[in-house]
Amino acid sequence: MIETLQHLPPAADSHGALAAQFTDLAPALTARQAAIEAARCLYCYDAPCTRACPTGIDVASFIRNIHDQNVTGAALKILQQNIFGGSCARVCPTEILCEDACVRNNAAERDPVKIGLLQRHAIDNAGFTAHPFMRAPSTGKTVAVVGAGPAGLSCAHRLAMLGHDVVVFEARPKAGGLNEYGIARYKLPGDFAQQEVDFLLSVGGIDIQYGQALGDELQLRDLHTRFDAVFLGLGLGARRRLGLVGEDAPGLVAATDYIAALRQAGDLSRLPVPRRAIVVGAGNTAIDMAVQLKRLGADEVTLVYRRGYEAMSATGHEIEIAKVNGVRIRTWASPLEVLLDDAGRVAGMRFEETRMDGGRLARTGAFIDIAADAVFKAIGQAIAPPPPLDELAQGLWRDGERIRVDANLRTAVPGIYAGGDCVALGQDLTVQAVQHGKLAALAIHNDIQAGAAWPT
């Protein structure tokens, strides 16, 4: 936990100065800039950008609406397919999805339409006076959703639109999941995540009950009996371990814990900030952790990965953000030992240099010691089945550490569906989780309307 970190105030120790480091990563487009950018779109038939979007947003159509000065119509086009269109416009890796597929990435231009910024412009400037979608007549059916993250809330919203009543069970005190607790503060600044949740809930028919964790307050067998269907949007709550001696020493913290504390902090100057930090990992969470430490005032932040740049799961765009913010990236180094001071606190880490040998990662016998006041693990997460699990939950098929589902997000247990990061289907992206929730809701609706009876 971050309580084990020593409080070493950064140079800019006032909240106001620090808050200025956590505004939007990219400035919003002005109306004129948006119009000019929208005019660059070729409005392709069977547009490759739409095919690249996990939620199937009709990109060419919403951009044409912006060009025609119908910003509200553009926002409606986006939200029809992705109710989290605002946050996805900010956090979605458009550089490897829709913008990568843009036909303007040709030999002559190599300059795609700025789809993400246009999507943000549409959502931020829409003139809705009420929730844009009406609920269908009540079906009299109720559905339980476990987890109020993007997958769970996307599922709940679509089910509510279809006329079902939804009860969402959330373990934490706020809804939003990854958007509220796990995204870099400079990507979703202020209370944007909660504003989006409030907008989503305004459709009606959704009740959220907080402090309800599966395996503690909730049992899957009970939910299966009480509701007409159950959707599991559990995310990935278990932190992977390095497997090193000293891993539990004060000063060694899971990056996700620190990011959550940072996102919830009212006064950034009260956060413990190490002067020298190591981040172990190669994904976007590792980048988020490292960049935010630098923006909080850490003197040295070194991100270490055991393979080369080409194997990093973070996008090239994210890696550039780290470099611009002064993060040092050290590749081909594998964690070997946690170095401790006389008081048993983290003093750094020892790494062994690595290389590829016959297609496999090999150790070289050469060592590197990096001094640090804190080490942050960003080596991925796993699904955390909370004990005690009832026999119904134990019966879910699993692919390694994920719940196995079919193309319609149905699990092996009739009447139970799952989506988001907890399933082995698609990419671990917010936009993918939103799509899972939407598809699961449609499957639940069709199954309920067909009169399927689930064994209890």
Side-chain angles (χ1 to χ4, degrees):
M1 300 298 288
I2 71 167
E3 290 80 8
T4 67
L5 298 176
Q6 292 178 313
H7 195 299
L8 300 173
D13 59 356
S14 72
H15 171 70
L18 291 173
Q21 298 294 319
F22 291 91
T23 56
D24 278 307
L25 183 62
L29 297 176
T30 65
R32 177 171 172 75
Q33 288 171 331
I36 293 171
E37 191 63 26
R40 297 184 61 237
C41 182
L42 300 177
Y43 313 119
C44 305
Y45 174 75
D46 190 24
C49 52
T50 292
R51 285 186 272 115
C53 175
T55 56
I57 292 173
D58 188 342
V59 177
S61 180
F62 94 71
I63 293 179
R64 183 180 289 277
N65 277 332
I66 293 175
H67 180 264
D68 294 341
Q69 299 183 16
N70 181 10
V71 175
T72 301
L76 188 62
K77 287 279 187 183
I78 296 163
L79 295 171
Q80 283 173 340
Q81 298 299 325
N82 183 347
I83 195 61
F84 281 94
S87 58
C88 286
R90 289 165 165 83
V91 307
C92 187
T94 55
E95 67 275 5
I96 63 171
L97 295 172
C98 55
E99 291 179 13
D100 184 56
C102 179
V103 296
R104 286 203 176 274
N105 283 311
N106 53 49
E109 294 188 55
R110 299 188 184 276
D111 185 18
V113 174
K114 296 179 177 61
I115 298 170
L117 284 173
L118 287 172
Q119 179 170 316
R120 174 183 165 186
H121 176 79
I123 298 296
D124 289 357
N125 295 282
F128 299 126
T129 57
H131 193 80
F133 304 112
M134 297 290 293
R135 293 192 68 198
S138 174
T139 63
K141 302 295 184 180
T142 58
V143 179
V145 171
V146 182
L153 290 178
S154 172
C155 182
H157 182 268
R158 186 63 55 145
L159 287 167
M161 283 177 57
L162 293 168
H164 307 292
D165 291 318
V166 184
V167 180
V168 180
F169 299 94
E170 169 58 38
R172 287 177 141 165
K174 288 184 179 181
L178 185 69
N179 285 359
E180 178 60 37
Y181 292 99
I183 295 291
R185 188 160 172 154
Y186 57 80
K187 293 180 179 177
L188 287 179
D191 63 349
F192 184 88
Q194 285 307 300
Q195 290 178 23
E196 195 167 44
V197 170
D198 292 342
F199 170 77
L200 180 152
L201 294 178
S202 67
V203 71
I206 304 173
D207 173 45
I208 301 184
Q209 298 184 13
Y210 298 98
Q212 302 289 310
L214 189 65
D216 294 329
E217 294 78 15
L218 301 175
Q219 290 296 328
L220 192 55
R221 169 68 70 183
D222 179 53
L223 295 178
H224 196 237
T225 301
R226 290 166 49 200
F227 293 88
D228 294 289
V230 179
F231 176 78
L232 302 177
L234 303 176
L236 298 175
R239 298 155 184 82
R240 299 185 189 276
R241 293 181 63 83
L242 294 165
L244 304 178
V245 175
E247 189 165 351
D248 297 317
L252 203 153
V253 178
T256 51
D257 288 345
Y258 192 93
I259 292 172
L262 171 58
R263 285 200 56 84
Q264 300 305 307
D267 184 349
L268 295 178
S269 67
R270 299 180 65 85
L271 277 172
V273 181
R275 288 199 174 92
R276 301 170 301 174
I278 295 170
V279 178
V280 180
N284 289 343
T285 298
I287 299 291
D288 286 354
M289 182 72 244
V291 170
Q292 290 183 114
L293 285 172
K294 286 295 293 183
R295 292 189 173 205
L296 285 168
D299 293 333
E300 298 178 9
V301 179
T302 306
L303 188 149
V304 186
Y305 179 47
R306 60 180 180 161
R307 299 180 186 271
Y309 278 101
E310 70 285 349
M312 294 179 72
S313 58
T315 66
H317 174 69
E318 294 287 332
I319 293 170
E320 284 305 309
I321 291 173
K323 291 179 178 179
V324 167
N325 279 270
V327 175
R328 297 191 302 183
I329 300 178
R330 182 68 164 87
T331 55
W332 301 110
S334 180
L336 188 65
E337 181 182 352
V338 181
L339 304 178
L340 306 177
D341 61 18
D342 293 339
R345 296 187 57 85
V346 166
M349 286 197 80
R350 177 165 295 160
F351 298 87
E352 185 171 1
E353 293 185 356
T354 57
R355 59 181 175 85
M356 296 304 295
D357 184 6
R360 302 184 65 177
L361 191 69
R363 297 180 180 271
T364 66
F367 304 105
I368 307 164
D369 287 354
I370 302 177
D373 307 300
V375 174
F376 298 89
K377 295 184 296 182
I379 54 175
Q381 294 176 279
I383 189 170
L389 286 176
D390 58 37
E391 71 282 1
L392 190 64
Q394 293 173 359
L396 295 178
W397 294 347
R398 296 167 65 97
D399 285 333
E401 297 177 331
R402 309 290 179 103
I403 298 172
R404 184 181 299 173
V405 293
D406 66 14
N408 292 302
L409 287 305
R410 299 182 182 96
T411 72
V413 180
I416 298 178
Y417 306 73
D421 291 349
C422 69
V423 305
L425 183 68
Q427 299 171 286
D428 291 345
L429 298 173
T430 299
V431 66
Q432 183 73 77
V434 173
Q435 179 70 352
H436 284 178
K438 182 177 72 179
L439 293 179
L442 295 175
I444 291 168
H445 175 72
N446 291 334
D447 290 346
I448 287 177
Q449 295 300 97
W454 314 126
T456 58

